[in-house]
């Protein structure tokens, strides 16, 4: 018995699954297979993953260099155009799966510094460079949420209390980088009147293309000492991402909310990281999100009620035209 | 799985465990009347080696070692059996493949080692099966709660992989007394039935844990009943005890701890633990 057990203790093949070979082909196969079995939104992104295998697999052989492997894999992943897809490879720059996030063509159409300097009244609050709030023209509340990572947003009740007399509040989700969606739940719960379905999550739970798990519904629940139920305008842009989009899905079902801006990045399903045999790390989307209206906005992004986008000319003049539109609407 | 069915399964398990406990305590109470008990508390420090592979997160095997790992053991000897409560903890820095460096927002970032922690808490009763004073055999059961948690440091974010198992084990043990001062011990236990919790197939459930409430409550709620053919685990140990005084014993031991579970994807954890310490008898 003792001999048997000590033999067990040193025998990887008996005790562990076979590790894919750490060579170009093994690494490619490992990544492709993981996507094939666990990526949840091929249909929403209009991608036939098997076709991409047929196209890119022949480019990889035992002589493929790391640079070539990186190029082949990122070319394949680029077809998904998914902001939740990424690749971290040795000696390379963090590769992002969404074209706009790589090229940043419109990144400069939003500048919170401009709002801080040119729009917000002097008595304004900065919480850890994550949450910024204050008033505009003394009668409109403004909250910019940079991202939703980290601890629960404790400031929200104080902010809601201080803005009860304002005509309306602007929630700025432009360039929101995502984070923990439960922090968004806390924020929106101070704007909720009654329990309302916001969205549903359906996780991938098996290797087959139709293997999805049980649907989880996410509701807005009113919480906290006070709610704000006057008009609210939520601002979005093509950089509003992930948990920022989940927060938008919560807000957009409220009757007093208008969304102004652009379609969001369109990456709402939960992002999870995986590892290749060579230590490179990549991320996938493992969950399909369905909005309360029954649509999936994975890919095209969540559309606003009112399309509006800043111009480079306006930005140079120190004007945020989307914010101006929101202010104008609330003052009517 | 429907919550009612989960609750029913959990209830059956708890009732089974409780009835077993009660029966064992009644047996032991009978023997305690015949002979006064002898208690010991052992404090053990150790060098623990960890190898693990969780396909939910990575195809690679992560390994590392930790010193000192800590175990506390309380044993109560009766004339015809023994009770034991064990609490063991270790935290081990583990590495899979090479830790790569990459550029993120203009800065070079290097992946750091991941962390693997394990906590075991168990209560066991073993009944003495032989009358031989030199070589004693025991047969019994152990109730164990074990969590093996790996915090994968993937470079930009970290993901928590875990297996949380509450098991009823079959337990066999033997003690051989070389002389009045020295003895060897060997034991083996393996689960008969377990309640096992694991992460989801393709999403991280950290946020779900926050969403649904307390961590441990969530883990129990999502647990699945698993018989010995699905949750495979083996815990084998050998030890040596030397009596320094009637109050103090020196203890040395080796423990092999292996588990394997295949849902939603295979996880295997192998631990080789070398422990030493003192036991205090009263």
């Amino acid at each position: 018995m003792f001999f048997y057990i000590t033999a067990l203790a040193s025998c990887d093949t008996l005790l562990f699954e076979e590790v894919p070979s750490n060579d170009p082909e093994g690494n490619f196969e490992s990544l492709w297979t993981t996507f094939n079995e666990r990526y949840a939104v091929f249909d929403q992104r209009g991608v036939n993953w098997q076709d991409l295998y047929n196209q890119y697999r022949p480019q990889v052989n035992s002589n493929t260099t790391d640079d070539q492997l990186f190029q082949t894999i990122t070319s394949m992943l680029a077809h998904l155009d998914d902001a939740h897809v990424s690749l971290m490879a040795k000696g390379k720059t963090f590769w992002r799966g969404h074209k706009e996030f790589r090229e940043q063509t419109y990144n400069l159409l939003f500048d919170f510094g401009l709002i801080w300097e040119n729009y917000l009244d002097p008595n304004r609050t900065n919480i850890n460079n994550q949450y910024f709030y204050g008033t505009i023209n003394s009668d409109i509340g403004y909250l910019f949420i940079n991202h939703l990572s980290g601890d629960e947003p404790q400031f929200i009740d104080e902010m809601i209390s201080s803005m009860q007399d304002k005509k309306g509040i602007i929630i700025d989700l432009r360039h929101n980088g995502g984070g923990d969606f439960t922090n968004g739940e806390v924020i929106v719960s101070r704007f909720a009147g009654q329990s309302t379905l916001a969205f549903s999550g359906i996780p991938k739970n098996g290797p087959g293309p139709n293997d999805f798990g049980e649907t989880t519904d996410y509701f807005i629940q009113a919480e906290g000492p006070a709610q704000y139920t006057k008009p609210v305008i939520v601002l979005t842009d093509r950089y509003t991402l992930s948990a920022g989009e989940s927060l938008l899905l919560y807000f957009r079902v409220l009757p007093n909310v208008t969304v102004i801006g652009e379609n969001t990045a369109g990456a709402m399903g939960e992002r999870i990281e995986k590892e290749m045999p060579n230590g490179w790390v990549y991320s996938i989307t493992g969950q399909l999100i369905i909005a309360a209206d029954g649509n999936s906005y994975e890919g095209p992004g969540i559309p606003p009620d009112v399309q509006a986008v800043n111009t480079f000319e306006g930005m140079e003049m120190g004007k945020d035209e989307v914010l101006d539109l929101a202010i104008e609407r609330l003052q009517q | 799985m429907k919550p009612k069915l989960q609750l029913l399964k959990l209830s059956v398990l708890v009732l089974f465990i409780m009835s077993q406990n009660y029966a064992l305590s009644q047996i032991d109470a009978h023997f305690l009347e015949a002979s006064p008990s002898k208690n010991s508390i052992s404090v053990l420090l150790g060098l623990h080696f960890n190898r693990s592979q969780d396909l939910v997160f990575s195809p690679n095997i992560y390994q590392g070692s930790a010193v000192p790992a800590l175990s506390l053991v309380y044993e109560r000897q009766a004339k015809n059996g023994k009770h034991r409560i064990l609490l063991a903890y270790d935290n081990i820095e583990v590495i899979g493949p090479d830790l790569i460096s990459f550029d993120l927002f203009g800065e070079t970032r290097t992946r750091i080692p991941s962390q693997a922690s394990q906590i075991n808490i168990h209560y066991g009763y073993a009944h003495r099966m032989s009358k031989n004073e030199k070589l004693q055999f025991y047969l019994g059961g152990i109730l164990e709660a074990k969590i093996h948690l790996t915090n994968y440091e993937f470079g930009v974010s970290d993901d928590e992989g875990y297996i949380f198992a509450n098991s009823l084990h079959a337990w066999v043990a033997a003690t051989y007394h070389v002389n009045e001062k020295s003895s060897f011990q060997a034991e083996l236990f393996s689960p008969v039935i377990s309640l096992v919790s694991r992460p989801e197939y393709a999403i991280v459930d950290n946020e779900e844990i926050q969403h649904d409430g307390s961590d441990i409550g969530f883990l129990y709620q999502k647990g699945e009943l698993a018989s010995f053919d699905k949750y495979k685990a083996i815990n084998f140990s050998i030890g040596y005890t030397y009596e320094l005084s009637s109050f103090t014993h020196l203890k040395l031991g080796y423990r092999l701890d292996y588990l394997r579970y295949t849902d939603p994807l295979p996880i295997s954890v192998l631990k080789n633990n070398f422990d030493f310490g003192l036991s205090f008898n009263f």
Side-chain angles (χ1 to χ4, degrees):
Chain A
M1 172 64 90
F2 178 66
F3 174 79
Y4 171 70
I5 288 171
T6 49
L8 265 181
S10 57
C11 189
D12 275 2
T13 53
L14 278 176
L15 302 179
F16 298 97
E17 299 297 312
E18 185 179 357
V19 178
S21 56
N22 183 12
D23 54 39
E25 292 168 299
N27 281 298
F28 181 94
E29 292 284 349
S30 175
L31 177 140
W32 185 89
T33 302
T34 301
F35 267 91
N36 190 47
E37 295 178 348
R38 291 194 248 178
Y39 187 74
V41 289
F42 284 123
D43 288 348
Q44 286 68 29
R45 295 189 174 275
V47 168
N48 185 317
W49 195 237
Q50 185 61 50
D51 284 351
L52 294 182
Y53 181 88
N54 297 339
Q55 180 180 346
Y56 289 99
R57 178 63 182 86
Q59 298 177 20
V60 180
N61 57 49
S62 58
N63 297 319
T64 301
T65 65
D66 276 0
D67 283 347
Q68 291 167 333
L69 183 64
F70 180 82
Q71 184 61 44
T72 302
I73 288 174
T74 53
S75 297
M76 180 173 70
L77 296 179
H79 289 267
L80 297 168
D81 198 23
D82 185 341
H84 272 166
V85 169
S86 62
L87 178 65
M88 288 157 269
K90 185 179 180 181
K92 300 288 186 186
T93 297
F94 179 80
W95 185 86
R96 311 187 74 169
H98 188 39
K99 186 180 179 189
E100 175 59 30
F101 280 48
R102 287 195 303 277
E103 299 179 354
Q104 308 213 334
T105 311
Y106 301 98
N107 187 35
L108 297 179
L109 288 180
F110 175 75
D111 177 7
F112 175 69
L114 182 155
I115 297 169
W116 183 258
E117 293 298 328
N118 298 353
Y119 285 84
L120 289 181
D121 297 329
N123 188 17
R124 56 206 175 183
T125 304
N126 172 355
I127 300 170
N128 301 325
N129 288 323
Q130 180 175 6
Y131 303 102
F132 303 82
Y133 69 90
T135 56
I136 295 172
N137 300 333
S138 74
D139 59 355
I140 293 174
Y142 175 86
L143 168 65
F144 172 59
I145 303 171
N146 192 13
H147 62 84
L148 288 161
S149 301
D151 296 334
E152 196 171 290
Q154 304 283 351
F155 73 94
I156 191 66
D157 288 323
E158 186 181 328
M159 190 202 92
I160 293 295
S161 171
S162 71
M163 291 188 178
Q164 287 295 335
D165 62 337
K166 306 305 175 203
K167 283 182 179 174
I169 293 180
I170 296 168
I171 310 287
D172 201 339
L173 297 181
R174 290 177 293 176
H175 275 51
N176 183 294
D180 183 343
F181 84 93
T182 63
N183 287 334
E185 283 184 325
V186 173
I187 291 169
V188 79
S189 70
R190 272 61 174 180
F191 294 85
Q194 60 186 24
S195 178
T196 308
L197 175 68
F199 61 91
S200 304
I202 312 172
K204 194 79 167 54
N205 79 339
N210 299 315
D211 290 341
F212 285 88
E214 289 183 10
T215 299
T216 302
D217 293 329
Y218 296 90
F219 292 85
I220 297 177
Q221 307 277 5
E223 286 180 16
Q227 274 71 43
Y228 187 90
T229 54
K230 294 180 190 174
V232 172
I233 291 180
V234 179
L235 306 183
T236 60
D237 67 8
R238 66 191 71 197
Y239 285 85
T240 305
L241 173 66
S242 190
E245 296 179 279
S246 300
L247 180 53
L248 176 61
L249 290 176
Y250 279 116
F251 269 117
R252 73 197 293 266
V253 297
L254 295 175
N256 55 326
V257 169
T258 304
V259 182
I260 296 178
E262 297 177 277
N263 282 37
T264 57
M268 282 147 276
E270 195 171 2
R271 172 184 185 273
I272 183 168
E273 292 180 322
K274 304 290 173 195
E275 188 177 51
M276 291 159 64
N278 61 2
W280 295 7
V281 176
Y282 57 99
S283 57
I284 68 168
T285 300
Q287 178 194 38
L288 173 62
I289 297 291
I290 304 293
D293 61 13
N295 293 316
S296 164
Y297 294 109
E298 189 79 29
I302 306 164
D305 298 314
V306 179
Q307 284 279 353
V309 60
N310 285 333
T311 62
F312 288 110
E313 295 77 16
M315 295 296 290
E316 282 179 13
M317 293 163 57
K319 289 172 65 68
D320 187 318
E321 294 150 283
V322 176
L323 181 58
D324 287 339
L325 178 60
I327 294 167
E328 184 185 322
R329 282 192 162 233
L330 288 175
Q331 285 181 331
Q332 282 173 354
Chain B
M1 184 188 300
K2 291 187 165 48
K4 280 186 180 173
L5 186 58
Q6 266 186 326
L7 193 62
L8 183 65
K9 284 183 174 181
L10 185 60
S11 303
V12 170
L13 178 65
V14 170
L15 284 172
F16 178 66
I17 287 167
M18 288 176 70
S19 62
Q20 166 119 353
N21 242 347
Y22 178 75
L24 290 174
S25 66
Q26 292 302 302
I27 292 166
D28 197 47
H30 169 75
F31 289 111
L32 285 174
E33 284 170 10
S35 171
S37 61
K38 189 176 180 183
N39 303 296
S40 71
I41 291 178
S42 304
V43 180
L44 302 171
L45 297 176
L47 172 61
H48 290 190
F49 295 91
N50 185 94
R51 286 169 66 75
S52 62
Q53 181 191 41
D54 186 349
L55 295 191
V56 171
F57 296 92
S58 172
N60 298 307
I61 295 172
Y62 277 67
Q63 54 190 335
S65 59
V67 59
L70 178 66
S71 303
L72 297 172
V73 185
Y74 167 75
E75 275 198 358
R76 179 175 180 166
Q77 293 282 349
K79 184 180 178 185
N80 287 294
K82 61 181 177 183
H83 297 268
R84 183 169 77 194
I85 297 171
L86 177 144
L87 172 62
Y89 169 78
D90 62 32
N91 178 257
I92 299 178
E93 196 171 271
V94 290
I95 294 175
D98 291 344
L99 298 174
I100 62 166
S101 297
F102 57 95
D103 291 335
L104 181 68
F105 302 128
E107 293 180 0
T108 298
R109 185 176 288 205
T110 302
R111 289 183 60 189
I112 60 175
S114 301
Q115 296 286 328
S117 305
Q118 184 162 308
I119 299 173
N120 292 49
I121 301 171
H122 83 220
Y123 162 75
Y125 174 81
H127 186 64
R128 186 173 162 180
M129 304 303 292
S130 66
K131 300 292 184 187
N132 189 325
E133 288 300 319
K134 209 163 178 65
L135 180 61
Q136 297 160 355
F137 286 102
Y138 295 86
L139 185 61
I142 288 175
L143 297 171
E144 181 190 52
K146 173 196 285 188
I147 184 162
H148 186 89
L149 178 71
T150 303
N151 194 39
Y152 291 94
E153 296 286 355
F154 280 138
V156 173
S157 60
D158 56 326
D159 291 338
E160 286 184 349
Y162 59 85
I163 180 164
F164 179 50
N166 292 267
S167 305
L168 174 63
H169 294 269
W171 179 22
V172 292
T175 300
Y176 176 71
H177 294 276
V178 179
N179 53 44
E180 285 187 354
K181 286 186 174 294
S182 299
S183 65
F184 288 98
Q185 303 84 39
E187 68 173 37
L188 179 72
F189 59 88
S190 197
V192 178
I193 190 165
S194 305
L195 185 73
V196 183
S197 296
R198 288 271 289 138
E200 301 299 317
Y201 178 80
I203 61 169
V204 179
D205 52 10
N206 300 13
E207 292 180 0
E208 297 296 329
I209 289 171
Q210 291 176 43
H211 186 266
D212 289 356
S214 69
D215 296 10
I216 290 295
F218 181 80
L219 292 181
Y220 274 110
Q221 187 188 346
K222 73 191 295 242
E224 298 276 355
L225 277 181
S227 55
F228 60 91
D229 58 334
K230 190 169 181 192
Y231 174 62
K232 295 182 173 68
I234 190 167
N235 196 302
F236 171 77
S237 68
I238 52 173
Y240 172 74
T241 301
Y242 182 77
E243 185 179 314
L244 298 172
S245 71
S246 60
F247 178 66
T248 312
H249 290 179
L250 175 70
K251 295 179 89 75
L252 303 171
Y254 163 77
R255 182 176 295 275
L256 177 147
D257 186 0
Y258 174 73
L259 68 84
R260 175 179 167 78
Y261 190 64
T262 54
D263 192 26
L265 288 165
I267 179 173
S268 302
V269 178
L270 172 66
K271 296 176 75 68
N272 286 288
N273 303 341
F274 298 88
D275 295 308
F276 73 97
L278 296 173
S279 71
F280 305 99
N281 304 302
F282 53 97

